[in-house]
Structures are given as C-alpha cells and as structure tokens.
Amino acid sequence: MGQVAELDRQFQMVRGIGDNRAPGPLDFITEVVADLNKFLTNNPVIETEQQASEAGAYVERMRKHLADIEDERDGKVRPLNETVAAINAEYKSVHNTDSKKPGSADKILNELKFRLTDYAAKEEAKRIAAAEALRKEAEAAAERVREAERIEAEAKANADVGEIVDVGAAIAVADSTFAQFEAASRQADLAERNAPVRIGSRMGGKAITMRTQETLVLVSYGKAMCAIGPNDKIRDAILSAARDYRKEHGALPEGVTAEHTRKI
C-alpha cells in the first residue's frame, strides 16, 4: 500500500513548470490507470498471497480515485442540475410536455379540449347518420335507374318488333331517373366529405379537427408474449416486476429464479 501511495505522491510533484492550478482527480487518473495496466501486464494470473495483496492495493487506489472523480463531477454538476431543476419546476408547473404530468395551463386546456371533443363527436355522429341516409337514398335512386333502363330497353325491343309503345317517354323517364340518381349521389358524397367536424377560430389559423388516436390494449399476456417471442425488453420488464413481487410477497414469482455469484 505504501508503494501505491508513493506513486501518487510522485505524480503530484511532476505537474509541469508554471502550472498553478491545483491538481484534481482527472489529473491523476491517467497515471493510475497506466500503473494498474502495468500490474495487469506483469501479472496475467494472480496466484500468490503477495500478488493478491498488491492487487488489493490497486483496487483500493482505483476506488479512491474514481470516488474522487465522481465527487468532483457531482460538485460541479449538482448546482447546475439544481438550477435546471428549479427552472423546469417553474415552467412545467404551468406547461409540461409530459401529458401524464400536466401543468396548470395544460389542465385547463385539456378541459376545454374535452368539451370540444364531446361537441365534435356528437356533431360528427349526426353528420355521419345524415350521410348514411343520403347514401341509402342514392342507392335507392341507382336501383330506380336500373329499373328505368330495363323498361327503356324493353320498350325499344318491343318497338323493333312492331309493337306500339311510347319509346320517347321511356327514354325520358330513364334520363330523369338517372339525373335524380346523380344529384342524390353528389349529395351523399358531399355529406360524407363534410362529416369530420372542423372547428374554426376567430383568430384565424388552422381549423381544429378530431384526430384518431391509437391505444394498444393488452388482451392476453400469454398470447402476446408467445407471438412476440424472446425479447430483451420483455425479459427486463418481467424481472423488474418480479423484484417488486418479491418485495411484496417475500418470494419470487413462479417462473423466475435467482442465481447467486461471488465476486469482488
């Protein structure tokens, strides 16, 4: 242990002429790593108590320097993090991009959006029902067109064999029926296009519309896991849940076991 401490002392003395900055953990770690690397090179396998003792000294030396590095990093970063946290807390108390933690302004906006959604959903349902009714009318008109065209064709065929029929009247009825169908079809098309509710604003800008939001629903754990197959994300989630289960029940759930290894 004394040899390791002496190495540290010597390195602190050799810092370069004109360097008035107090040495810090990052100044020493390169030398510490180099010394440890030299030890590992000279001792590919630890076989004796003396080697183990010297290796232990290097473990303690490295731990000390890493702890110093972490302390210095934390000392520099903590005030900044605290400042950032304070700024975030101030702003996010009003507006938070995380929808699960809404700020005060988000909450009142969400209430307004809820009421608009309720209005738009009811209005859209009315428009869809009206569009469906118009589409049924258009389909009925299409059926009348087919019947008028059949009568027209029959009248022409009868006239061709000498039967006295009013072919002109049949043609006129077919044309009129087709015109009625076209008008009904246009009305149905327009109603279907206008079914989505678009809410304008007195301030101008883009109209507000409802959007379809997808929400996945887990119907069967077993079927989903069998379909997805072995997966690191699923494994990690299950093991995390298993730890929570053990805290609550005192034992791991069935299907999860614990392995214990000893190491330094």
Side-chain angles (χ1 to χ4, degrees), residues 216-231 234 238:
L216 300 184
V217 179
L218 184 57
V219 179
S220 170
Y221 284 84
K223 289 181 180 180
M225 291 174 65
C226 287
I228 295 171
N231 183 289
I234 292 178
I238 291 175

Side-chain angles (χ1 to χ4, degrees), residues 137-153 170 173-184:
E137 291 180 10
E139 291 172 354
E143 183 61 30
R144 289 194 294 272
V145 167
R146 286 189 287 271
E147 177 63 16
E149 289 176 342
R150 185 192 65 77
I151 293 174
E152 178 187 358
V173 170
D175 290 345
S176 175
T177 303
F178 185 75
Q180 293 172 6
F181 159 72
E182 285 189 319

